[in-house]
Amino acid sequence: MSTGPEAGLATLRSAVLDADGLVRALATGRRKGRPVPVVDGREVRRVEVRVVDLKAGRHLQVTSYDATQAHTTNHLVGEAAEAAVDALLAEPFANWHVDTATETHQLRVTKKGVPLLHTSTRDEEVAPSRGHDRPKDRLLPEDHPVLRALGISDAQGRVKPTRQAKYRQVEEFVRLLDASLTEAIAQGRVRTPTADDPLRVVDLGCGNAYLTFAAHAFLTDRLPVRMTGVDVKQQSADHNSRVAADLGIDADFVVGSIADAQLAQAPDVVLALHACDTATDDALGRALEWEAPLVLAAPCCHHDIAAQLRTSAVPEPYAMLTRHGILRERFADTLTDALRAALLRREGYRVDVVEFVESAHTPRNTLLRAVRTGADGSESAGEYDDLLAAWGVRPRLGELLDHG
């Protein structure tokens, strides 16, 4: 059932403020031509709202997610909660998804700024959970079978002390994937998967597939998914196939180079997680060839551009950036990913460069998140050309795209 703009907003507001019936509300995306939504002075990409019972009474809990972490505030049901919800509704979110005990409300704001609400009735009533002490920041609980199979958790379902950093890395990547995919599907950038045509995810240069399996485990609890991993090592494919078989996971692991990977159908999501040096460029090149709607790439090593900077003519007055080896390597990291982001934008993608886990847990914590929009990339093309002219480098991704 669909409703008009004013009635739709009123219905949505009422559902979010229904302290007895609200299960969860989720706001994502940014309206076309509008600034990024701001909550408590921070630019955010996603907001979750639920009802919790505290010692001080029933509260509306608002959890907002910026590029790196979650921030939670509690508002007493009544005037404080109403003010908080009105403030959220005033922000330029593109999509709202609200689950109540008996209904699901989906609100989408059109390119012209018109809010359209669709409401459906649940087949069975759901009881809201209002516990405040639920485990936080755990999209994959410590005792999840996939974490045991990967050796991150022990037989008792507890994360091993030596694997805490890996667990944190897995959690934060899955959180970013969840937010990115939820937003992309809501905006129509990624199609809605079905049982007959599941979400097609390919991980290029998957290695031992820690993040691949974590992503699959998380996604399959929410939607149909088919995972394919590609790696040059037979040993990795054998290991991953055994893990998949033990877990009963519907996944394929292919031996071969990224450049030669052949898929029966183009993927919806391309992952390239810690593929070394120019292997990340090869993965991004294949993603662009497939016109993949969503791309998540966590680069590892940037030797190619670092080596070129040793012999290239450095523009004045920036010689100090490359004179010392350690500074040259760090600058090469930044320059390489800036060039990759510019090329993705040139090819019609919206690109964010974010830190997906604190540097204390892994030094390779940058993630390129790209969503295909088909936008005009001429401005980014000019920026890319200017960078090449200034620094005299030849990035691998540019060579792949411009020379085949």
Side-chain angles (χ1 to χ4, degrees):
M1 178 182 65
S2 297
T3 60
E6 293 184 5
L9 280 174
T11 299
L12 187 80
R13 180 181 186 274
S14 177
V16 178
L17 288 171
D18 181 3
D20 294 325
L22 179 67
V23 175
R24 186 186 74 151
L26 176 67
T28 61
R30 178 182 64 177
R31 298 178 199 169
K32 185 176 179 62
R34 298 291 303 278
V36 176
V38 174
V39 177
D40 295 331
R42 290 181 293 269
E43 292 187 344
V44 300
R45 302 182 180 281
R46 175 187 184 192
V47 169
E48 292 185 35
V49 182
R50 59 188 295 265
V51 176
V52 295
D53 287 330
L54 308 178
K55 290 181 179 179
R58 182 162 289 182
H59 285 65
L60 200 70
Q61 185 174 86
V62 178
T63 304
S64 57
Y65 298 86
D66 59 23
T68 60
Q69 58 186 316
H71 307 270
T72 299
T73 57
N74 297 310
H75 309 271
L76 185 65
V77 167
E79 292 183 1
E82 291 177 8
V85 170
D86 288 339
L88 291 176
L89 290 173
E91 289 300 316
F93 288 106
N95 306 279
W96 278 84
H97 181 104
V98 180
D99 288 320
T100 70
T102 58
E103 294 178 317
T104 294
H105 306 280
Q106 292 178 295
L107 184 139
R108 176 178 64 87
V109 180
T110 68
K111 293 180 180 179
K112 295 183 179 181
V114 178
L116 300 178
L117 180 70
H118 177 79
T119 298
S120 58
T121 303
R122 288 180 176 274
D123 293 333
E124 295 182 4
E125 186 170 337
V126 174
S129 173
R130 303 190 184 93
H132 181 62
D133 58 351
R134 65 174 184 169
K136 293 184 180 294
D137 297 325
R138 293 294 181 265
L139 298 185
L140 285 177
E142 294 189 24
D143 60 353
H144 196 289
V146 74
L147 298 179
R148 291 174 176 165
L150 294 173
I152 294 176
S153 295
D154 59 23
Q156 287 71 44
R158 296 171 301 199
V159 173
K160 299 175 182 177
T162 58
R163 307 298 279 168
Q164 288 289 342
K166 175 61 70 174
Y167 180 48
R168 181 67 173 172
Q169 182 186 18
V170 165
E171 273 284 303
E172 292 307 313
F173 170 73
V174 170
R175 190 176 303 283
L176 270 171
L177 174 62
D178 177 36
S180 303
L181 188 58
T182 298
E183 179 179 338
I185 291 177
Q187 293 180 343
R189 305 298 184 187
V190 173
R191 66 183 179 83
T192 301
T194 65
D196 294 330
D197 192 6
L199 186 77
R200 298 186 292 272
V201 182
V202 61
D203 187 354
L204 299 175
C206 64
N208 281 340
Y210 284 98
L211 297 181
T212 317
F213 282 118
H216 187 281
F218 176 77
L219 291 176
T220 50
D221 288 339
R222 290 153 180 80
L223 45 80
V225 60
R226 176 71 182 178
M227 186 75 72
T228 301
V230 178
D231 199 89
V232 294
K233 296 180 181 179
Q234 182 68 52
Q235 179 182 358
S236 294
D238 292 342
H239 168 270
N240 296 337
S241 295
R242 286 195 298 270
V243 173
D246 291 343
L247 291 170
I249 285 177
D250 182 18
D252 293 322
F253 292 94
V254 179
V255 178
S257 68
I258 292 172
D260 295 331
Q262 298 298 318
L263 303 179
Q265 292 177 291
D268 301 299
V269 181
V270 172
L271 308 178
L273 308 172
H274 295 148
C276 189
D277 199 16
T278 56
T280 294
D281 298 298
D282 293 338
L284 292 175
R286 292 310 305 274
L288 291 170
E289 178 185 332
W290 287 318
E291 297 185 348
L294 176 62
V295 183
L296 299 178
C300 182
C301 312
H302 300 73
H303 300 313
D304 184 43
I305 295 296
Q308 294 182 43
L309 288 174
R310 293 192 190 100
T311 57
S312 64
V314 178
E316 293 296 339
Y318 303 112
M320 283 297 295
L321 290 176
T322 62
R323 181 174 300 168
H324 303 285
I326 187 170
L327 295 179
R328 182 172 60 245
E329 289 180 6
R330 290 176 179 175
F331 177 66
D333 290 2
T334 300
L335 180 58
T336 301
D337 290 332
L339 290 166
R340 287 166 172 162
L343 283 168
L344 287 165
R345 292 190 183 102
R346 188 190 77 177
E347 300 301 315
Y349 282 76
R350 184 182 72 242
V351 184
D352 299 309
V353 183
V354 300
E355 181 183 74
F356 81 93
V357 66
E358 295 93 335
S359 58
H361 299 289
T362 174
R364 300 299 177 183
N365 63 346
T366 298
L367 185 133
L368 302 175
R369 175 172 51 193
V371 180
R372 183 173 176 80
T373 65
D376 179 18
S378 56
E379 182 178 347
S380 292
E383 293 173 344
Y384 172 76
D385 291 339
D386 290 344
L387 276 175
L388 292 195
W391 290 96
V393 293
R394 302 178 309 281
R396 166 73 173 172
L397 181 57
E399 295 288 301
L400 287 173
L401 297 178
D402 297 336
H403 304 292

